[in-house]
Amino acid sequence: MENIINHFNRYLPLEEEEKLALTSRLTERKIKRRQFLLQEGDVCKSFTYVQSGCFKMYGVDDKGVEHNLAFAVEDDWISDIGSLHKEQPSKLFIEAIEPSVVLQLSKGDLWYLYSNYPKFDRNFRVIIEDKYIELQDRLLQTVSATALNRYESFINQYPQLVNRLPSTQIASYLGVTPEFLSKIKNERFKK
């Protein structure tokens, strides 16, 4: 629980009572590689903090092709916020790429913390704002950047993932084929 306390302390440090309120509402889960936190059609019921491991969030198109939207590694959050907030079936999957340990906070417990401890409202607002900024940057890159520029941005955003993920996962995130990603890597290496 120390990691998540330190995570929150980077925003607004928590008092002992707030730490206890948080830790008493968290559920720790061990997740196997390729196990799902969320599947398409299910309603997302929690925010998930990654203590260890790696996850991908993706959708599948009509042709059965995966499109990676985001990755989450240690000291990061992952959730289908739309499904969680609206309590509607998700269009996404959240899957473990590696064996992982997560801490989950249900929507009801999250709202309890918001209502009773204002720091959590502020802390989660900043966390969600940061994720929104990432999404805006990713969307802008998707429509305006070259594949090479998108790959370089990926390296900057996820430096710890370049060697942890198979090229197929990175290619899906970038919206290119694994073969084209190989060309990009070779081009970058030559420079």
Side-chain angles (χ1 to χ4, degrees), residues 13-141:
L14 302 177
E15 303 296 329
E16 286 305 314
E17 182 183 351
E18 294 161 329
K19 292 176 188 177
L20 185 59
L22 173 65
T23 57
S24 68
R25 284 168 176 74
L26 291 169
T27 302
E28 182 177 278
R29 290 181 60 199
K30 290 179 177 22
I31 308 296
K32 296 176 184 174
R33 181 179 178 273
R34 301 197 61 118
Q35 183 177 344
F36 291 96
L37 288 179
L38 179 68
Q39 293 190 57
E40 182 180 32
D42 294 343
V43 175
C44 185
K45 300 203 181 287
S46 60
F47 270 87
T48 300
Y49 174 80
V50 181
Q51 287 224 122
S52 65
C54 180
F55 290 87
K56 64 178 177 176
M57 182 165 43
Y58 64 93
V60 177
D61 67 20
D62 293 339
K63 296 176 183 173
V65 177
E66 282 185 21
H67 300 280
N68 288 338
L69 303 178
F71 297 102
V73 293
E74 294 81 7
D75 200 32
D76 200 1
W77 295 87
I78 193 161
S79 178
D80 179 347
I81 295 174
S83 174
L84 181 75
H85 178 70
K86 293 181 178 182
E87 297 180 357
Q88 293 179 344
S90 179
K91 297 175 184 174
L92 303 173
F93 295 85
I94 300 176
E95 181 182 348
I97 296 173
E98 303 170 349
S100 304
V101 177
V102 299
L103 298 174
Q104 292 187 303
L105 189 60
S106 73
K107 182 179 179 179
D109 285 333
L110 181 64
W111 284 2
Y112 172 85
L113 292 173
Y114 286 169
S115 298
N116 294 288
Y117 302 94
K119 279 185 191 174
F120 288 107
D121 186 48
R122 167 78 173 119
N123 284 346
F124 274 102
R125 191 181 78 214
V126 173
I127 290 166
I128 292 169
E129 287 171 349
D130 287 347
K131 290 292 184 184
Y132 186 75
I133 291 166
E134 284 177 25
L135 180 62
Q136 283 181 312
D137 289 345
R138 179 157 154 63
L139 182 58
L140 183 59
Q141 287 175 17

Side-chain angles (χ1 to χ4, degrees), residues 172-190:
S172 172
Y173 180 83
L174 298 174
V176 299
T177 64
E179 296 78 17
F180 192 67
L181 177 59
S182 182
K183 287 181 184 179
I184 292 169
K185 287 179 177 181
N186 288 335
E187 182 180 322
R188 188 173 183 272
F189 181 74
K190 287 176 185 176

